[in-house]
Amino acid sequence: MLPPFPLSPISNRPRSALTPPSQSRSLNAGINSEDPPKIRVVVRKRPISRKERERGDEDVIDVSIQGSFVVVNETKVKVDLTKYLEKHQFNFDTAIDEVVDNDTVYRSTVQPLVSTLFRNGMASCFAYGQTGSGKTYTMSPLPTRAAADIFGYLSRPEHSDIALHVSCFEIYGNKIFDLLNQRNKLNILEDAKKKVVVVGLKEFVVDSVEVVKQLIEESGTQRSTGSTAANADSSRSHSIMQFALKRMPPPAAAAAAARFGGEPVEAKLVGKISFIDLAGSER
């Protein structure tokens, strides 16, 4: 934790002074799309919920988008029983307030990674937070938007031999289920090359954003959910959706292998991105 701001009386607290309502500011200024940072931590503030408003709860978080930090305003009481605010600042690579939409979140976080997938890039996008904080709401549109950009690259002549493969599975307790194949139980093993693989995971070769949307909807209906105090329909499992770009073997090589009884020529992995929606934390 960084040193807190100087103490100030609670009555003097400015509301929303850090974040004027504007979405015109660039959230990824200074990021090199050709070589983005290896790790970025982005925080998104959720709006006050209806239940919180009905209880009269206060908004205690301020966000500085340009400064990439959030301030937690903690109410404390002095010895003489007067109240004051102690401000705690936390820095991140990017800080997003509650008025920023999902499309802007995508352009700030995932879009810079898409081009790297065509240069043997491996990327993961995690959503972590408390139950009811909006992880699935934030994560759900990202694969669709990424798919649209991926197909834009695939339309180029130099990528004509590359195809997009989509899969999705969940980790529920210590069990693995395929969310795109009737919740078939899967195993995670290590292959001969010491690489971890999900055995039996079904992949779909897709050629349009509409098909990707259908697969996302199907995986969502198959995912394990439950009711909590914060959310009546809360995700109870970790969901991992994978986009794998694979270079298809030349037709002549595939035909020769089939003709002479050789091993099938497998598609070569070019790049992969995983969208990981973690189960909510109750703590």
Side-chain angles (χ1 to χ4, degrees):
M1 180 183 298
L2 297 176
F5 282 95
L7 303 183
S8 59
I10 192 169
S11 59
N12 294 334
R13 177 188 175 190
R15 294 304 306 138
S16 301
L18 297 176
T19 55
S22 171
Q23 295 187 37
S24 61
R25 294 155 292 187
S26 175
L27 297 179
N28 56 352
I31 296 177
N32 182 357
S33 61
E34 292 301 315
D35 186 22
K38 301 301 181 185
I39 298 177
R40 290 182 66 217
V41 180
V42 180
V43 63
R44 186 184 196 185
K45 176 186 176 183
R46 68 166 176 83
I48 294 292
S49 68
R50 178 177 56 83
K51 289 183 179 180
E52 290 167 334
R53 288 196 301 269
E54 292 174 351
R55 290 199 304 260
D57 293 345
E58 287 191 30
D59 182 352
V60 299
I61 305 294
D62 290 321
V63 179
S64 172
I65 291 181
Q66 293 191 353
S68 298
F69 65 82
V70 300
V71 176
V72 179
N73 299 281
E74 180 183 7
T75 303
K76 289 194 170 184
V77 181
K78 295 181 180 179
V79 178
D80 61 3
L81 301 184
T82 58
K83 293 183 179 181
Y84 66 93
L85 283 181
E86 187 170 350
K87 296 174 178 283
H88 306 278
Q89 178 177 324
F90 300 88
N91 289 9
F92 298 89
D93 293 304
T94 301
I96 301 173
D97 62 24
E98 68 271 35
V99 301
V100 173
D101 60 21
N102 278 341
D103 190 56
T104 305
V105 172
Y106 168 74
R107 292 197 304 270
S108 165
T109 56
V110 177
Q111 191 174 51
L113 301 174
V114 172
S115 64
T116 69
L117 304 180
F118 292 84
R119 303 192 302 272
N120 299 314
M122 301 291 174
S124 297
C125 180
F126 289 84
Y128 174 78
Q130 190 177 19
T131 298
S133 60
K135 297 181 300 301
T136 301
Y137 172 82
T138 297
M139 180 65 74
S140 295
L142 300 184
T144 303
R145 287 166 167 79
D149 284 342
I150 287 172
F151 286 125
Y153 282 95
L154 291 177
S155 65
R156 300 177 182 179
E158 62 267 30
H159 300 316
S160 60
D161 59 344
I162 298 177
L164 175 61
H165 296 240
V166 177
S167 60
C168 188
F169 62 96
E170 76 168 1
I171 303 174
Y172 185 58
N174 59 352
K175 298 179 181 178
I176 317 296
F177 299 99
D178 191 334
L179 296 183
L180 296 178
N181 191 19
Q182 301 177 343
R183 290 186 59 83
N184 280 357
K185 191 174 179 180
L186 305 170
N187 292 310
I188 296 182
L189 301 174
E190 194 176 73
D191 64 10
K193 297 180 181 179
K194 303 298 183 181
K195 292 183 179 180
V196 177
V197 294
V198 183
V199 180
L201 180 64
K202 188 172 184 179
E203 284 189 339
F204 292 83
V205 180
V206 298
D207 57 4
S208 71
V209 176
E210 288 304 317
V211 176
V212 173
K213 288 181 179 178
Q214 294 173 9
L215 295 177
I216 292 173
E217 291 175 0
E218 172 65 17
S219 65
T221 60
Q222 295 294 325
R223 190 175 177 187
S224 300
T225 59
S227 178
T228 67
N231 191 349
D233 191 24
S234 177
S235 302
R236 297 289 84 202
S237 65
H238 305 313
S239 170
I240 299 94
M241 173 159 280
Q242 298 182 141
F243 284 3
L245 296 174
K246 296 184 178 182
R247 178 167 281 110
M248 308 308 292
R259 180 179 178 182
F260 297 105
E263 291 291 329
V265 182
E266 296 183 354
K268 182 180 179 181
L269 182 65
V270 176
K272 183 169 71 173
I273 184 169
S274 301
F275 299 91
I276 305 168
D277 184 10
L278 297 174
S281 171
E282 301 295 329
R283 298 178 181 179

